[in-house]
Amino acid sequence: GNSVTQMEGPVTLSEEAFLTINCTYTATGYPSLFWYVQYPGEGLQLLLKATKADDKGSNKGFEATYRKETTSFHLEKGSVQVSDSAVYFCALSNAGGTSYGKLTFGQGTILTVHP
Amino acid sequence: DAGITQSPRHKVTETGTPVTLRCHQTENHRYMYWYRQDPGHGLRLIHYSYGVKDTDKGEVSDGYSVSRSKTEDFLLTLESATSSQTSVYFCAISLQGAGEQYFGPGTRLTVT
């Protein structure tokens, strides 16, 4: 079955530091890959996505590249801000058929950014 | 923001009592999902729906049932709540069932 593994957290950084959150996956076929973000007390929001190998998703300064050869989708940002403090979830979905867009999530990585 | 509401937002109940959580959407999306969020587990799918009266089980469906009698509402029922069902429950919707989902604000349920 499908599975997603994220790097252990929590991650604590100073403002303007470089961020990497590792994500690897196991899946059948050619899944779509996602990063979701959850701010305190809120539901999840889609941050970015990639639907095929070598695609790069980007949004709000965050980027992730779909690497089929290493089954990875690492999240990066060049300069984090205090407002980026949140929980980040990597997820995958098998498109089409009877998958019905079901998402498989990693366990989440807590990011705290200090001024 | 997608028009998704969940009710109640917080609930405390006793072991053995029935509980129903409601998810309501104004987006007319076909697909709806119920997840639970627990520390160290991320989000896990409980049940999902791919149309009115069309539902199926997710990976952690034991002890839960769902109903969807109209497009906008998806109900999650705990027939007899247990302490292991203490969690935060999220509803999500999707237009095309391709993985891009929009989430509600969540319901924090405590079973004592």
Side-chain angles (χ1 to χ4, degrees):
Chain A
N2 295 340
S3 67
V4 176
T5 302
Q6 292 181 231
M7 65 184 291
E8 295 281 337
V11 174
T12 303
L13 296 173
S14 298
E15 205 164 28
E16 299 184 3
F18 184 85
L19 169 70
T20 299
I21 301 177
N22 291 339
C23 171
T24 58
Y25 67 89
T26 302
T28 56
Y30 302 93
S32 295
L33 301 175
F34 305 84
W35 277 100
Y36 281 82
V37 59
Q38 182 181 31
Y39 298 103
E42 299 183 8
L44 279 70
Q45 303 174 24
L46 178 65
L47 181 59
L48 54 84
K49 68 177 182 180
T51 58
K52 61 183 186 295
D54 299 325
D55 267 3
K56 177 185 284 187
S58 61
N59 186 26
K60 300 181 181 180
F62 291 90
E63 293 183 339
T65 301
Y66 190 144
R67 301 288 188 199
K68 186 168 173 56
E69 63 276 14
T70 54
T71 61
S72 65
F73 192 55
H74 304 322
L75 182 68
E76 296 182 338
K77 187 176 185 183
S79 177
V80 294
Q81 305 300 312
V82 172
S83 57
D84 294 327
S85 298
V87 184
Y88 292 82
F89 293 93
C90 185
L92 69 82
S93 174
N94 289 107
T98 57
S99 68
Y100 300 115
K102 291 176 287 184
L103 286 168
T104 300
F105 286 91
Q107 71 269 37
T109 301
I110 300 171
L111 171 66
T112 302
V113 181
H114 293 298
Chain B
D1 291 342
I4 311 169
T5 56
Q6 293 184 232
S7 58
R9 294 293 313 279
H10 302 272
K11 186 171 182 65
V12 179
T13 192
E14 293 184 348
T15 298
T17 59
V19 177
T20 295
L21 308 183
R22 180 185 185 228
C23 177
H24 179 76
Q25 60 146 328
T26 58
E27 306 296 320
N28 202 36
H29 283 14
R30 176 182 176 189
Y31 302 89
M32 299 185 76
Y33 312 83
W34 276 108
Y35 295 90
R36 59 178 290 173
Q37 182 178 20
D38 303 290
H41 291 279
L43 275 76
R44 293 178 291 175
L45 182 65
I46 305 171
H47 282 279
Y48 62 99
S49 171
Y50 47 96
V52 174
K53 291 186 169 52
D54 292 322
T55 65
D56 205 349
K57 298 178 180 180
E59 63 176 305
V60 290
S61 60
D62 287 349
Y64 301 95
S65 63
V66 290
S67 65
R68 191 171 179 199
S69 59
K70 46 187 178 177
T71 299
E72 57 265 36
D73 288 326
F74 192 33
L75 304 180
L76 176 71
T77 297
L78 291 66
E79 301 290 348
S80 177
T82 67
S83 58
S84 65
Q85 293 175 312
T86 292
S87 186
V88 181
Y89 291 85
F90 287 99
C91 174
I93 64 174
S94 176
L95 179 61
Q96 297 178 329
E100 185 167 341
Q101 296 181 12
Y102 301 94
F103 284 78
T107 294
R108 183 173 295 277
L109 176 67
T110 303
V111 184
T112 60

